[in-house]
Amino acid sequence: MGHDRSDSQAPSGLGKGTGLKSPLWGIAASMVFVAALVAALIHFDAHEQVLRLLGWFDAQGAWAPLLFILLMAAVVVLLVPGILFTTGAGFVFGVVEGSLYVVTGTTLGAALAFLIARHLFGPRAREFVMARARLRLVSAELTPHGCC
């Protein structure tokens, strides 16, 4: 008289073969992709161009922070890996100031990316969401709470 649970009684999402490991595979694949992209950039001497650009920033004097912030915003909007710029900012401006410029630039870039997505791709994204039942359900749940 044991309380043996069959798969039909198991909570949803915990059964065998539900793809529970798929987020981990996605994260691992993303990490491998970014590492390969950075390795390719280094292999093709893109880091030399970045170092040259950072040297140029260093020579710009008072305009350097503003120009660097705009560059970081463009890096975010264009989905360019910013690891070399982020690291280089510490060398060009110092750790504290470089960190401040990186955070300011990436925040500006994120805001610009949001505005571009919202105003240029908004109707297309709405059609995409409404054509899919699960996404439509998420949208319906978030809309009354002022999210979207």
Side-chain angles (χ1 to χ4, degrees), residues 83-110:
I83 187 168
L84 297 174
F85 294 107
T86 302
T87 306
F91 289 110
V92 172
F93 301 109
V95 175
V96 175
E97 285 182 41
S99 297
L100 178 68
Y101 300 151
V102 166
V103 169
T104 303
T106 54
T107 303
L108 176 63

Side-chain angles (χ1 to χ4, degrees), residues 44-66:
F44 292 112
D45 291 330
H47 66 291
E48 293 293 331
Q49 299 297 329
V50 170
L51 289 175
R52 212 172 286 129
L53 180 63
L54 290 171
W56 179 81
F57 276 114
D58 195 27
Q60 297 308 307
W63 286 98
L66 176 64

Side-chain angles (χ1 to χ4, degrees), residues 110-133:
L112 288 172
F114 170 78
L115 291 172
I116 290 168
R118 175 99 176 174
H119 294 290
L120 292 180
F121 302 114
R124 181 182 276 169
R126 179 176 298 281
E127 290 172 14
F128 179 84
V129 168
M130 292 305 164
R132 283 148 183 87

